[in-house]
C-alpha cells in the first residue's frame, strides 16, 4: 500500500479480538496463504479456510446472540402485555410490529452506514477515525430521532387514519408513548455497535445484552403485574433496557484497553461533513427498510384475502419462525460486512474475495440444514404457537415456501453485508426497489388474487422478488474486481487525509 495513504503503522489495541494475531495478524496470514502459489491449490484453500473460519466464528456467533437477545426483549415485552388481555396483546403487537419495527429498521439502516467507514478505516490502521465516525453517526441519528418522536406522539390519530379501531388505537398509542426513549437509545446503540463490530469486538455486546435481558424479564414482571403500570410500564421497561445496553457498551469502550486507539474522546469533528454522511446513511436506511417492509406488506396483503383469519394465522406462525432464523442471517451479515471492509481497508483483495465465499457458503449450509428440519416437522411446528388443527394444516402447506425463504435468507443478507462492506448501499437500494416492489409484490397479488392461490400465491410472488434480488447480488459479487475495490477504499482514505471530508464523500 502506498505509504502516502497510510498513517504510521500502530499496533492494534492490546488484547483486541480484532487486533494482534486474531485480527490484523490473521488477515496478513490469510493474504499470504492465498498469494503463495508455490503451495498446491487444495492445501492453500484448506489452510485459508481454517484461518477464515476462526475469524468468522468469533464475529458471527456473538453477533447472532446479540440480535437474538434484542429480538427476545421485544417479544417478551409483547408477551407480558398480552397476558393483561386481548386488547393489550393487540395493542402491543401493533406497536411492536407496526411502529417500532419502522423506527428500528430506519435507525439500524442509517447506523449501518458507519460499518463501511469504520471497517475500512480499521483495516487501514486509521484507528482514531473510528471514534469520529461513531460520534458523527450518533449526531445524525439523534437528529433523525426527533421527527420519529413526533410521529410516535401522534400515533393514535395516525392509527385511526389507517383504519384501526379507536379502542385499539388508544391502547396502542399508550404502548408507543413508552417507546419514545427507545428511539434515542437506538440512535446511540447502532453506531456504538458498528464501531465495536468493525474492530471484531463482539463478545462484550453479547454479555451486556444477555445480562440486560435477565434484568429486563424480572423488572418487566414487577412493573406490569406487581406495580400495575400495564402497557405503559411494559414499553417503558423496554426503553430503559435498551438504554442499559447503550450505557454498558459505552462504559466498555471508554474503559477497555481494546479501544484505547479507536476512542480518543469527544470531538467537534463529529459535526463536520454531515451532509455527505447523511447521503450514505439515507442509502443504507432505504436499503434495509425496503427489505423490512417487504414482508410486513405480505402480512397486510394477506388480510385482504377471502379467509383473512386463517391466512393471517398461518402466515404469522411462518413469519415468526422466519424471524428467528433471520437473526442468524443478520449475524452473518454483520460478520461479512466487517470481514470485507477490514480486508479492503488493509489492501487485501484476495482475502476479501475469499471471505465472501466462505461466509456465504457457511450461511447457506446452516440455512439448508434448518430448512430440512422444518420440512421434517412441517405438520407439528404450528402447535408451538397455537393448538388449532386447521392452522396446523395451513402452516404445513406453507412450509415448503418457508423453507425456500430460509434458504434465500441464507444467501441474500450475507451479500447485503458484503455490499455494506464495499459501500454499495445506494446500488442495492435501487435493486431492492425493482425486485421487491416492481416485481415481487405485483406478482404476489396476481398469484394470490387473480389466480386465487391465496396466501401461498402472495408469498410465492414475493419469493420471486427475493430470488431475483439474490441472483443480481450474486452476479454483481462474482463479477467484482476486488483489486479495484481496494483502490476505491484507498481513494476514500486519501480523500479524508487530504481535505478532512468523510471517507465516502463524493462516492454517491
Amino acid at each position: 500500500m502506498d505509504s502516502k495513504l497510510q498513517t504510521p503503522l500502530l499496533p492494534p489495541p492490546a488484547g483486541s479480538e480484532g487486533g494482534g494475531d486474531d485480527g490484523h495478524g490473521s488477515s496478513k496470514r490469510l493474504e499470504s496463504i492465498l498469494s503463495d502459489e508455490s503451495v498446491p491449490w487444495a492445501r492453500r484453500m484448506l489452510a485459508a479456510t481454517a484461518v477464515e473460519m476462526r475469524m468468522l466464528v468469533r464475529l458471527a456467533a456473538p453477533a447472532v446472540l446479540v440480535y437474538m437477545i434484542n429480538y427476545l426483549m421485544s417479544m417478551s415485552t409483547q408477551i407480558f402485555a398480552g397476558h393483561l388481555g386481548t386488547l393489550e396483546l393487540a395493542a402491543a403487537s401493533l406497536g411492536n410490529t407496526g411502529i417500532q419495527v419502522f423506527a428500528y429498521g430506519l435507525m439500524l439502516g442509517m447506523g449501518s452506514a458507519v460499518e463501511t467507514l469504520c471497517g475500512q478505516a480499521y483495516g487501514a490502521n486509521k484507528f482514531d477515525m473510528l471514534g469520529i465516525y461513531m460520534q458523527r453517526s450518533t449526531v445524525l441519528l439523534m437528529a433523525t430521532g426527533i421527527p420519529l418522536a413526533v410521529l410516535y406522539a401522534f400515533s393514535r390519530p395516525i392509527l385511526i387514519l389507517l383504519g384501526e379501531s379507536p379502542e385499539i388505537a388508544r391502547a396502542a398509542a399508550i404502548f408507543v408513548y413508552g417507546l419514545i426513549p427507545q428511539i434515542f437509545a437506538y440512535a446511540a446503540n447502532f453506531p456504538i455497535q458498528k464501531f465495536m463490530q468493525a474492530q471484531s469486538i463482539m463478545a462484550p455486546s453479547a454479555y451486556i445484552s444477555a445480562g440486560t435481558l435477565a434484568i429486563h424479564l424480572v423488572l418487566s414482571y414487577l412493573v406490569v403485574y406487581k406495580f400495575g403500570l400495564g402497557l405503559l410500564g411494559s414499553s417503558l421497561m423496554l426503553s430503559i433496557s435498551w438504554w442499559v445496553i447503550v450505557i454498558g457498551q459505552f462504559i466498555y469502550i471508554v474503559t477497555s484497553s481494546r479501544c484505547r486507539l479507536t476512542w480518543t474522546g469527544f470531538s467537534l469533528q463529529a459535526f463536520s461533513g454531515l451532509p455527505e454522511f447523511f447521503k450514505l446513511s439515507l442509502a443504507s436506511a432505504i436499503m434495509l427498510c425496503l427489505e423490512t417492509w417487504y414482508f410486513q406488506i405480505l402480512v397486510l396483503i394477506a388480510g385482504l384475502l377471502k379467509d383473512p383469519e386463517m391466512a393471517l394465522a398461518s402466515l404469522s406462525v411462518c413469519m415468526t419462525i422466519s424471524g428467528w432464523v433471520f437473526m442468524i442471517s443478520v449475524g452473518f451479515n454483520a460478520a461479512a460486512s466487517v470481514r470485507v471492509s477490514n480486508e479492503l481497508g488493509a489492501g487485501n483483495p484476495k482475502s476479501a474475495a475469499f471471505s465472501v465465499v466462505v461466509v456465504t457458503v457457511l450461511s447457506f449450509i446452516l440455512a439448508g440444514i434448518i430448512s430440512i428440519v422444518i420440512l421434517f416437522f412441517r405438520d407439528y411446528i404450528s402447535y408451538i404457537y397455537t393448538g388449532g388443527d386447521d392452522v396446523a394444516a395451513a402452516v404445513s402447506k406453507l412450509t415448503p415456501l418457508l423453507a425456500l425463504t430460509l434458504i434465500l435468507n441464507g444467501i441474500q443478507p450475507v451479500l447485503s453485508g458484503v455490499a455494506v462492506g464495499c459501500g454499495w448501499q445506494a446500488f442495492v437500494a435501487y435493486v431492492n426497489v425493482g425486485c421487491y416492489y416492481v416485481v415481487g409484490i405485483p406478482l404476489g397479488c396476481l398469484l394470490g388474487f387473480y389466480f386465487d392461490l391465496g396466501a401461498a400465491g402472495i408469498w410465492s410472488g414475493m419469493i420471486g422478488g427475493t430470488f431475483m434480488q439474490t441472483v443480481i447480488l450474486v452476479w454483481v459479487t462474482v463479477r467484482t474486481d476486488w483489486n479495484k475495490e481496494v483502490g476505491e477504499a484507498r481513494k476514500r482514505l486519501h480523500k479524508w487525509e487530504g481535505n478532512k471530508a468523510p471517507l465516502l464523500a463524493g462516492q454517491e
Side-chain angles (χ1 to χ4, degrees):
M1 185 181 288
D2 191 337
S3 61
K4 291 185 293 184
L5 302 183
Q6 287 187 310
T7 52
L9 185 60
L10 296 172
S16 170
E17 292 174 341
D21 184 58
D22 290 327
H24 287 73
S26 293
S27 295
K28 290 178 182 178
R29 188 164 69 254
L30 179 60
E31 190 73 11
S32 175
I33 292 170
L34 293 169
S35 301
D36 188 0
E37 297 186 0
S38 65
V39 178
W41 181 85
R43 285 183 58 190
R44 271 188 288 151
M45 292 302 102
L46 188 60
T49 300
V51 174
E52 181 63 35
M53 284 291 291
R54 183 169 179 242
M55 288 189 284
L56 276 177
V57 170
R58 292 173 70 92
L59 283 168
V64 169
L65 184 59
V66 167
Y67 287 113
M68 283 280 194
I69 290 170
N70 291 345
Y71 193 76
L72 264 174
M73 281 209 302
S74 292
M75 289 297 295
S76 65
T77 297
Q78 189 168 318
I79 290 169
F80 279 123
H83 281 287
L84 292 171
T86 304
L87 175 63
E88 286 80 1
L89 175 60
S93 299
L94 189 60
N96 255 335
T97 59
I99 295 175
Q100 188 210 23
V101 167
F102 170 77
Y104 182 90
L106 181 64
M107 289 295 196
L108 178 61
M110 294 189 72
S112 294
V114 82
E115 277 187 84
T116 311
L117 302 172
C118 283
Q120 293 184 0
Y122 186 76
N125 299 318
K126 296 182 179 295
F127 301 122
D128 60 316
M129 290 312 305
L130 272 74
I132 302 298
Y133 290 131
M134 180 183 74
Q135 293 173 61
R136 187 172 294 162
S137 182
T138 303
V139 169
L140 199 57
L141 266 65
M142 286 289 182
T144 305
I146 295 173
L148 280 178
V150 174
L151 181 70
Y152 275 38
F154 288 94
S155 57
R156 182 178 180 180
I158 291 172
L159 290 171
I160 292 175
L161 187 66
L162 292 175
E164 297 295 336
S165 71
E167 187 179 18
I168 292 178
R170 180 189 62 79
I174 292 173
F175 183 83
V176 170
Y177 294 154
L179 296 179
I180 291 177
Q182 185 191 48
I183 298 172
F184 299 99
Y186 284 163
N189 178 74
F190 293 131
I192 288 174
Q193 196 176 69
K194 303 308 178 184
F195 167 87
M196 296 174 72
Q197 284 179 4
Q199 304 170 68
S200 300
I201 303 175
M202 312 288 277
S205 293
Y207 297 145
I208 292 168
S209 295
T212 304
L213 175 62
I215 296 170
H216 172 77
L217 293 174
V218 173
L219 293 183
S220 292
Y221 175 82
L222 293 174
V223 166
V224 174
Y225 301 126
K226 299 301 180 181
F227 301 153
L229 295 182
L231 277 174
L232 183 62
S234 65
S235 57
L236 275 175
M237 269 311 307
L238 184 60
S239 294
I240 292 170
S241 295
W242 271 92
W243 271 109
V244 170
I245 291 174
V246 169
I247 294 169
Q249 290 180 134
F250 185 69
I251 290 173
Y252 177 86
I253 289 171
V254 172
T255 59
S256 174
S257 61
R258 297 183 180 186
C259 303
R260 73 179 191 278
L261 299 180
T262 52
W263 174 259
T264 56
F266 294 102
S267 171
L268 290 176
Q269 288 187 59
F271 296 93
S272 65
L274 287 175
E276 290 298 334
F277 202 94
F278 176 73
K279 289 181 182 178
L280 181 66
S281 297
L282 186 61
S284 297
I286 291 172
M287 182 186 85
L288 195 74
C289 285
L290 289 176
E291 294 182 16
T292 303
W293 298 338
Y294 188 49
F295 285 98
Q296 283 184 293
I297 291 172
L298 167 64
V299 176
L300 292 174
I301 295 174
L304 304 176
L305 292 169
K306 293 178 181 178
D307 187 2
E309 185 176 339
M310 183 58 63
L312 287 172
S314 58
L315 277 175
S316 175
V317 172
C318 290
M319 287 297 102
T320 302
I321 294 170
S322 178
W324 280 108
V325 179
F326 189 71
M327 292 300 105
I328 299 174
S329 300
V330 171
F332 280 103
N333 170 288
S337 175
V338 171
R339 290 292 300 120
V340 171
S341 59
N342 281 179
E343 297 298 350
L344 292 180
N348 298 329
K350 289 184 174 65
S351 296
F354 186 76
S355 179
V356 171
V357 173
V358 174
V359 70
T360 304
V361 170
L362 181 60
S363 179
F364 174 75
I365 290 172
L366 284 175
I369 292 171
I370 294 171
S371 297
I372 292 171
V373 171
I374 285 176
L375 283 172
F376 186 77
F377 292 102
R378 59 188 295 178
D379 295 327
Y380 311 102
I381 54 176
S382 71
Y383 291 109
I384 299 172
Y385 304 95
T386 179
D389 292 336
D390 291 340
V391 175
V395 169
S396 181
K397 290 179 181 178
L398 291 176
T399 303
L401 296 178
L402 173 61
L404 183 56
T405 299
L406 296 182
I407 289 173
L408 288 174
N409 284 344
I411 303 172
Q412 182 270 334
V414 174
L415 296 181
S416 292
V418 173
V420 171
C422 295
W424 302 338
Q425 287 95 326
F427 166 74
V428 177
Y430 290 124
V431 172
N432 287 355
V433 170
C435 295
Y436 289 164
Y437 297 91
V438 177
V439 176
I441 292 176
L443 181 60
C445 291
L446 184 67
L447 293 173
F449 293 98
Y450 184 79
F451 289 99
D452 200 25
L453 297 179
I458 295 172
W459 199 350
S460 297
M462 299 183 79
I463 285 176
T466 305
F467 178 76
M468 179 180 291
Q469 186 228 27
T470 303
V471 169
I472 292 173
L473 290 180
V474 169
W475 181 77
V476 170
T477 305
V478 168
R479 289 176 55 87
T480 297
D481 183 341
W482 294 101
N483 288 300
K484 181 180 177 182
E485 290 301 321
V486 167
E488 290 297 318
R490 289 183 177 183
K491 287 178 184 178
R492 296 175 196 131
L493 296 172
H494 181 64
K495 191 174 185 70
W496 170 259
E497 291 296 309
N499 59 22
K500 299 300 181 185
L503 285 180
L504 293 184
Q507 183 193 354
E508 304 303 316

